[in-house]
Amino acid sequence: MTTAQQETILEFVNVSKSFGGLRAIDSLSFGIPKGQVTALIGPNGAGKTTAINLISGVYKPTSGDIRYKGESLIKLPAHEIARRGISRTFQITKLFPGMTVVENVMLGRDFGMKGRSKTFTTGEKVAATELEYAMEVLGMFNLKDHANNLTSELSLGQQRWLELARAFAMEPEFLLLDEPSSGLNLAEAEALLDKLRGTCSLGCTILLIEHNMRVMQAISNYVIVLNHGQKLMTGTPDEIKNDKKVIEVYLGKE
Ligand SMILES: Nc1ncnc2c1ncn2[C@@H]1O[C@H](COP(=O)(O)OP(=O)(O)O)[C@@H](O)[C@H]1O
Ligand SMILES: [Mg+2]
């Protein structure tokens, strides 16, 4: 951990994940500090997306354990993991294209934690409070004016914002973001992540896969570097940036 008094919210304990003969994650152990922004970095194929898929329950580890607040997640189905407050976005945006912007936010909420009102079943059966809440979230992500547009009418940047709005609307305690800045320029990426960090400042923990070193530095408190499914090193963004091993395996290839 970064400091002795920092609480660990999520822990990988000797986790491996094989796909056939390929070890995508190899005896990986690390802790994620609560209430911080942790960046997961590493070259293409290092196992970053697989790690997030293991946390959210898309995949199950071949061996090892993943613990969230001390509870093992590896036997839980994905929706049970989501119910515990873990929310995610995808490397390739997965919105519902035939639905409107506000519907996408409300549907995300329906799958979310806390067993909140389940009134969203059809377009007409929407509790006013849920709709108001969704509109409020859209406002936070600069999408209020597009609430009734189809998602396919949004620009790529707006679709990224919407995916984050949807994840955020689930009131996550732990937010997993797979390359949220992809397709955005540096200024857009920084604005977006600043917004998220601000909106999450009341106790939300973020684990973020980030390709861009400058964004990583601007936004994270703690960094885990993966290479070939293994932990290369952990540290602060400054420590990572200046580390020779990291420069060799990661920066050297960029
Ligand atoms: N579903 C899968 N089936 C087979 N191989 C996979 C699967 N998912 C990921 N991999 C492989 O696991 C390795 C790690 O992939 P990934 O986690 O996507 O890396 P990263 O996100 O760091 O670029 C790669 O070699 C990739 O081809
Ligand atoms: Mg990936």
Side-chain angles (χ1 to χ4, degrees), residues 76-211:
L76 298 177
H79 68 268
E80 278 298 326
I81 294 173
R83 188 155 293 152
R84 278 158 178 73
I86 298 176
S87 178
R88 71 171 296 176
T89 65
F90 292 87
Q91 184 164 6
I92 296 161
T93 300
K94 290 187 181 171
L95 297 167
F96 301 104
M99 298 176 85
T100 65
V101 168
V102 70
E103 284 168 347
N104 265 270
V105 170
M106 296 180 76
L107 192 63
R109 222 168 131 65
D110 214 32
F111 290 132
M113 57 178 294
K114 292 179 181 168
R116 285 181 161 260
S117 58
K118 295 284 181 196
T119 44
F120 179 70
T121 48
T122 70
E124 300 98 86
K125 291 224 171 189
V126 173
T129 51
E130 284 287 292
L131 180 58
E132 276 164 21
Y133 179 82
M135 290 302 286
E136 213 174 290
V137 171
L138 287 178
M140 283 165 28
F141 290 87
N142 304 329
L143 287 168
K144 212 170 191 166
D145 293 346
H146 300 282
N148 296 313
N149 288 120
L150 293 175
T151 59
S152 52
E153 295 171 311
L154 299 180
S155 70
L156 178 63
Q158 288 169 330
Q159 290 184 27
R160 288 259 148 212
W161 282 95
L162 176 56
E163 215 196 9
L164 289 163
R166 188 173 62 180
F168 179 80
M170 291 164 77
E171 299 176 80
E173 289 182 353
F174 194 102
L175 192 51
L176 298 161
L177 305 173
D178 196 348
E179 304 205 18
S181 71
S182 77
L184 307 183
N185 65 36
L186 184 64
E188 288 171 328
E190 279 178 354
L192 181 149
L193 291 167
D194 262 355
K195 171 77 80 183
L196 260 185
R197 192 162 57 172
T199 47
C200 267
S201 62
L202 301 170
C204 179
T205 303
I206 295 179
L207 177 64
L208 154 90
I209 295 177
E210 182 51 66
H211 222 72

Side-chain angles (χ1 to χ4, degrees), residues 19 22 24 43-50 59:
F19 297 106
L22 176 89
N44 261 331
K48 305 181 297 294
T49 296
T50 302
Y59 300 141

